[in-house]
Amino acid sequence: MDRKISCTIIAKNEEDRIAECLRSVRDVADEIVVVDSGSSDRTLEICRSFGATCHHHDWQGFGQQKRFAEDRATHDWILNIDADEWLTPDLQREIKAWAAAQPEDGIVGYRIDIKTVYPGQDRPRPLADQHRYVRLYDRRFCRFPASAAFDEIHLPSRQVRALKHPMYHRSIRSLSHYIEKNIAYFNIQCSEKIKGRYLFFIRVLVEPFGAFFKYYILRRHFTGGCYGFLIASTAAVLRTYRLMLLTFPHRPR
C-alpha cells in the first residue's frame, strides 16, 4: 500500500536555507505545500523551482500558519518540516519504506528526533541536543493547535510510534540571529502566557543559572567548544529578559 504524503512548510525570507530542506523531501513527499507570510527575497522562486505549491498567508502565529498549510494539503498524511530543517538520507529511506508498507492499526502519528546543527556545520556536533516531536501524522485524527506560540502535536502514546532516524535542524544563522529570534518569540508568548509577580525577584536570581545549566550540561552544548559556551551564556541572559517581559508585559520594550 502506497500512502500519499503532503509535506507542509511555513516560511518567510528563507532563501539561504530552504533549498536544503526542499531537496531532502522532494523524493519523499507526493506534494510540497509552502505557506509564505511575505518573503521579500528569493524564497518563493526557490520553492517553485522544486515544484512546490505556494500560498500566501499573513502571519498569524506558528500554530495558525501550520493549520493553514494543513488545510491546503491534498493528502491526509502530513509531513511537517520547518524551512531550516532537512531529512537525513536514512530518514528519507525510512519514510519511503513506511509509505509502501501496511498501515499500523491505531497509529496516527510518528515522532521524529530533531538534532541541532550549529551555523556553518553540515551535521550535529557530538552528543548534540535533540527534540522529539510528532511531525508525520494523519490530519484526520490530529492537528497543530491554533496557538501563536506553541506548535506541538499531542497524541496519546498508544497512537504514536517513533521513527528510527533523525532530521537535522540549523535553527540559527548566528548568535545575533539567535538573540533576535528568541526576543521575537518571547513577544509572541506575551499574548498567551503571563507570569505572576510574587516570586519575580527570586526567579530572576535563580532562573538564568538554571538556563545556563540546562543548555550547557543537559543539552550538552559543552561538546560545542567555545561556541557552545556562548550559546549557553546567551540563553542565560535571554532568560532574564523573558522573565521580565512575561512578568511586566505592559512596560515599554
Side-chain angles (χ1 to χ4, degrees), residues 68-243:
F68 184 87
E70 289 171 341
D71 290 336
R72 298 303 177 275
T74 301
H75 308 298
D76 289 321
W77 277 99
I78 305 291
L79 172 63
N80 175 255
I81 184 170
D82 290 341
D84 54 5
E85 298 171 341
W86 68 98
L87 309 183
T88 60
D90 285 338
L91 181 56
Q92 293 174 37
R93 288 188 286 269
E94 184 177 8
I95 292 175
K96 285 193 283 188
W98 165 86
Q102 288 295 319
E104 298 181 82
D105 289 340
I107 303 302
V108 299
Y110 292 84
R111 293 190 183 94
I112 299 175
D113 288 336
I114 305 170
K115 294 189 174 184
T116 300
V117 178
Y118 282 167
Q121 303 296 315
D122 294 325
R123 55 189 305 107
R125 68 192 186 278
L127 300 176
D129 59 312
Q130 63 185 42
H131 305 277
R132 177 175 286 184
Y133 296 121
V134 173
R135 289 297 195 86
L136 178 62
Y137 61 96
D138 189 333
R139 68 177 176 185
R140 292 171 295 183
F141 298 93
C142 56
R143 298 189 66 184
F144 278 97
S147 166
F150 304 102
D151 60 343
E152 183 177 352
I153 291 174
H154 294 282
L155 281 168
S157 58
R158 67 179 182 278
Q159 294 182 299
V160 182
R161 291 285 185 271
L163 297 181
K164 296 178 181 178
H165 299 100
M167 70 168 65
Y168 290 165
H169 183 204
R170 189 181 292 110
S171 63
I172 60 172
R173 297 176 171 100
S174 63
L175 278 176
S176 61
H177 178 238
Y178 178 61
I179 294 169
E180 293 169 4
K181 182 176 180 178
N182 275 276
I183 289 175
Y185 182 67
F186 297 158
N187 278 279
I188 292 173
Q189 282 188 323
C190 278
S191 66
E192 299 186 1
K193 185 177 182 179
I194 299 296
K195 291 183 178 292
R197 301 183 180 184
Y198 301 104
L199 299 177
F200 171 76
F201 291 104
I202 295 175
R203 297 182 68 167
V204 81
L205 292 174
V206 173
E207 290 193 13
F209 296 99
F212 181 86
F213 181 82
K214 175 182 177 181
Y215 279 79
Y216 197 63
I217 303 300
L218 300 183
R219 293 191 177 178
R220 301 179 296 280
H221 282 280
F222 65 86
T223 67
C226 292
Y227 199 85
F229 180 82
L230 288 173
I231 288 285
S233 300
T234 304
V237 174
L238 286 169
R239 187 69 182 187
T240 303
Y241 177 87
R242 176 182 182 273
L243 184 58

